[in-house]
Amino acid sequence: MAVFVALGAFLMTLAGGWTAQRVTDRRHLVLGLAGGLMLGVVGLDLLPEALKAAGGEVFGVPAALLLFVAGFLLAHLVERLLAARQASHGGEESNGRVPEVGLTAAAAMVGHSAMDGVAIGAAFQVGNGMGTAVALAVVAHDFADGFNTYTITSLYGNARRKALTMLFADAAAPVVGAASTAFVTIPEGLLGGYLGLFGGVLLYLAAAEILPEAHHEHPARSTLLCTIAGVLFIWLVVGLAG
């Protein structure tokens, strides 16, 4: 059942990536929406779950929040290191962005999608009701995952073929993750820490890369409205799943 539900996530992820491709003539709107989706996923989905799952504190600060900050700094460090490496080897950048950063970010999205599949499988082990609730949440926000995976890969100047490869990998990841739960169980605390770390990475991409690029050439009100719409969509998904 878990693998069957994960196939729905597979299709929804592809639908998100297909949508991102079809509206490339409105690139600023696509980026504005992607930034809003990422912000909504981080603030309304990942962080609350991370705080619940990894409830311990380290020197007075919740462990999930420390990992959240660490994820933000890690994404910044990786981008700077890859940019310096590219410059030292005389490599080309795309509008000041290093293609490897986009691939690294997309790979992180794929890893997260695999964890979504694990969450579906683990929830079905608890019971069908819990499994159904988690599955609905995952399938609904996988549209945003597919949209963001294709967008972030393309934003950094990678060829369409690479963007499609990462999109298909992201779509297949929940199926693989769900199937793996027949053999692996992840401790709740470890899962919470992962969610905090990944949330920091996503926030960095949204705040430091995607949203500034969205408003760079077209600082239009419509771009801001797309960002707000992205946040509201994730809020709706979280509310319906709850």
Side-chain angles (χ1 to χ4, degrees):
M1 176 61 73
V3 174
F4 178 76
V5 171
L7 290 174
F10 174 86
L11 295 175
M12 190 63 78
T13 302
L14 290 182
W18 180 85
T19 301
Q21 292 181 68
R22 300 298 295 179
V23 291
T24 50
D25 57 329
R26 293 288 184 268
R27 185 170 178 268
H28 59 293
L29 299 181
V30 172
L31 294 174
L33 179 61
L37 291 172
M38 284 188 173
L39 178 59
V41 167
V42 172
L44 306 179
D45 188 12
L46 294 182
L47 268 185
E49 289 297 326
L51 289 169
K52 282 193 295 184
E57 293 189 351
V58 178
F59 204 63
V61 178
L65 291 183
L66 287 175
L67 287 166
F68 173 75
V69 174
F72 189 97
L73 293 175
L74 178 64
H76 179 58
L77 178 63
V78 168
E79 183 187 36
R80 292 298 87 207
L81 287 176
L82 287 175
R85 175 176 173 274
Q86 191 88 347
S88 67
H89 286 79
E92 294 294 326
E93 293 186 353
S94 176
N95 297 320
R97 289 177 168 80
V98 183
E100 286 83 354
V101 174
L103 292 176
T104 302
M109 297 291 291
V110 173
H112 177 64
S113 292
M115 295 299 292
D116 280 346
V118 171
I120 293 174
F124 271 105
Q125 289 178 2
V126 174
N128 287 337
M130 175 68 74
T132 301
V134 171
L136 286 175
V138 169
V139 170
H141 92 244
D142 270 355
F143 178 88
D145 283 353
F147 190 98
N148 290 335
T149 298
Y150 185 87
T151 301
I152 195 70
T153 307
S154 301
L155 174 64
Y156 280 84
N158 289 287
R160 182 173 179 270
R161 177 178 56 82
K162 290 185 177 180
L164 287 174
T165 299
M166 298 309 297
L167 173 62
F168 276 98
D170 189 49
V175 181
V176 175
S180 73
T181 56
F183 313 100
V184 178
T185 301
I186 299 178
E188 186 179 17
L190 182 60
L191 181 60
Y194 155 76
L195 291 175
L197 187 73
F198 184 68
V201 172
L202 275 192
L203 183 63
Y204 178 82
L205 293 174
E209 300 295 331
I210 291 182
L211 289 177
E213 179 69 16
H215 292 277
H216 177 61
E217 295 181 358
H218 300 277
R221 184 180 303 173
S222 56
T223 306
L224 178 59
L225 290 176
C226 281
T227 302
I228 295 172
V231 175
L232 292 177
F233 173 76
I234 297 300
W235 187 13
L236 175 65
V237 169
V238 171
L240 291 176

